[in-house]
């Protein structure tokens, strides 16, 4: 079975066009990489919308019809985190089983629908809708990152895979930077619904990008005679059982512990950082968002 990243067609492969239209060319592969990276741009941007608008969400003035308590605000992040303790572990099995195309569309649908529900909740001042949308959004967002990793592996296995993963994280964090840099001012000047609505727009854009990727990926399957079910793997994937987790090396669990500490300390602070800097340190509203975004 030929891997997309290989520079020469396999034995008996049909002749393919040269240049950009050749799925095995560097120009085509890097275009695919950009599309893959943009698939999660909307979810990364939307994930940080509550954090970027925390000052407005916690505003207790009577004119703020969407006033949340600190407990309700932090519950939005708990609703995102707790389901993914199980969903990501189990969902990876189904991504291997069902394939990238079906899984990608299903997960991107959950992300987009969840963010749209949150936007509707912001417009009608319903905290319950915000919670529901956040839960649906969470059900797809983290697994979408796993699915994105499978896309990158399919196109870059054995060739520039580390570079591809690094570029994907760069664009993903760009979504967080833009969210924290601009949404505090958007929420302050145009209201909380506008901020959530902007997140919905980026999710829809990511959905369109996913569709473009799947069309080009299907074309590459046809031209390079790949099996779209097994993607670029030589042998069929046999999902492993839970017992395999106990056979992982101590270095793996050390890395997991490091990540848990990082997420527990750093990202918990990000959730309240703008409000903290605004009220405790007395910074102007746009400044905390720019500071956290660049952090």
């Amino acid at each position: 079975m030929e891997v997309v990243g290989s520079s020469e067609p396999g034995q008996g492969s049909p002749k393919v066009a040269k240049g950009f239209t050749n799925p095995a060319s560097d120009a085509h592969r890097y275009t695919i990489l950009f599309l893959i990276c943009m698939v999660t741009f909307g979810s990364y941007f939307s994930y940080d919308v509550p954090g970027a608008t925390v000052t407005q969400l916690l505003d207790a003035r009577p004119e703020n019809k969407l006033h949340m308590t600190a407990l309700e605000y932090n519950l939005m992040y708990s609703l995102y985190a707790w389901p993914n303790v199980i969903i990501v572990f189990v969902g990876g099995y189904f991504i291997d089983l069902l394939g990238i195309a079906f899984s990608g569309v299903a997960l991107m649908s959950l992300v987009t629908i969840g963010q749209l529900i949150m936007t509707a909740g912001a417009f009608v001042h319903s905290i319950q809708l915000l919670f529901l949308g956040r839960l649906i959004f969470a059900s797809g967002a983290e697994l979408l990152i796993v699915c994105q990793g499978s896309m990158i592996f399919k196109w870059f296995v054995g060739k520039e895979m580390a570079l591809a993963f690094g570029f994907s994280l760069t664009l993903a964090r760009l979504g967080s930077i833009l969210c924290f840099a601009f949404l505090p001012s958007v929420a302050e000047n145009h209201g909380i619904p506008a901020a959530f609505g902007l997140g919905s727009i980026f999710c829809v854009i990511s959905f369109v990008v996913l569709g473009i990727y799947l069309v080009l990926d299907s074309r590459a399957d046809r031209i390079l005679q790949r099996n779209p079910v097994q993607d670029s793997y030589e042998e069929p994937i046999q999902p492993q059982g839970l017992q395999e987790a106990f056979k992982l090396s101590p270095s793996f669990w050390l890395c997991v512990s490091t990540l848990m500490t990082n997420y527990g300390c750093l990202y918990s602070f990000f959730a309240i950082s703008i409000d903290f800097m605004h009220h405790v340190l007395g910074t102007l509203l746009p400044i905390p968002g720019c500071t956290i975004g660049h952090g």
Side-chain angles (χ1 to χ4, degrees):
M1 177 73 67
E2 178 191 353
V3 176
V4 178
S6 60
S7 57
E8 296 181 1
Q11 188 71 23
S13 297
K15 295 179 65 177
V16 296
K18 296 182 179 180
F20 175 79
T21 55
N22 179 2
S25 69
D26 286 342
H28 193 94
R29 289 169 59 249
Y30 292 147
T31 301
I32 289 291
L33 176 59
F34 176 76
L35 295 175
I36 293 174
C37 294
M38 288 300 296
V39 166
T40 57
F41 182 89
S43 62
Y44 270 88
F45 183 95
S46 299
Y47 168 80
D48 288 315
V49 171
T53 59
V54 57
T55 301
Q56 290 77 24
L57 289 172
L58 298 181
D59 188 355
R61 289 177 297 178
E63 56 267 27
N64 180 19
K65 298 180 181 179
L66 194 60
H67 169 61
M68 304 179 73
T69 65
L71 177 63
E72 290 171 332
Y73 169 76
N74 286 289
L75 182 58
M76 294 185 68
Y77 282 91
S78 297
L79 287 172
Y80 184 95
W82 279 108
N84 280 298
V85 173
I86 303 299
I87 290 176
V88 173
F89 182 78
V90 177
Y93 172 90
F94 287 101
I95 291 176
D96 285 339
L97 191 66
L98 301 175
I100 292 173
F102 179 86
S103 301
V105 171
L107 296 171
M108 195 70 239
S109 298
L110 289 173
V111 168
T112 305
I113 291 173
Q115 185 61 29
L116 288 172
I117 291 176
M118 292 182 70
T119 301
F123 271 103
V124 301
H125 316 298
S126 172
I127 295 177
Q128 289 73 21
L129 276 180
L130 284 176
F131 288 163
L132 175 62
R134 189 70 166 179
L135 186 61
I136 296 174
F137 177 88
S139 300
E142 292 295 311
L143 266 180
L144 186 62
I145 300 173
V146 177
C147 189
Q148 181 193 51
S150 298
M151 297 175 191
I152 292 175
F153 185 88
K154 178 178 181 179
W155 280 86
F156 290 90
V157 58
K159 186 177 182 181
E160 302 166 329
M161 189 161 66
L163 173 65
F165 273 108
F167 187 63
S168 70
L169 286 175
T170 298
L171 277 186
R173 292 306 171 196
L174 181 61
S176 296
I177 290 173
L178 293 177
C179 179
F180 279 112
F182 295 107
L183 285 199
S185 296
V186 171
E188 183 70 13
N189 298 322
H190 304 285
I192 296 173
F196 279 92
L198 197 56
S200 296
I201 291 173
F202 279 117
C203 285
V204 171
I205 291 174
S206 290
F207 209 149
V208 173
V209 170
L210 174 64
I212 297 172
Y213 162 79
L214 291 177
V215 170
L216 294 178
D217 186 64
S218 177
R219 174 180 176 271
D221 289 339
R222 185 176 66 256
I223 292 176
L224 300 178
Q225 295 184 329
R226 299 181 309 188
N227 185 336
V229 176
Q230 291 300 329
D231 300 327
S232 62
Y233 300 104
E234 296 279 348
E235 300 293 336
I237 300 172
Q238 298 296 332
Q240 301 297 314
L242 180 62
Q243 67 274 11
E244 296 298 321
F246 298 100
K247 300 178 182 179
L248 297 172
S249 66
S251 60
F252 169 82
W253 293 110
L254 182 61
C255 290
V256 170
S257 301
T258 302
L259 288 173
M260 288 178 61
T261 303
N262 177 66
Y263 270 80
C265 298
L266 188 61
Y267 286 89
S268 297
F269 174 72
F270 279 175
I272 61 169
S273 55
I274 291 183
D275 190 60
F276 173 83
M277 296 180 69
H278 178 53
H279 288 99
V280 177
L281 302 182
T283 54
L284 297 175
L285 190 57
I287 297 177
C290 294
T291 303
I292 298 303
H294 286 85

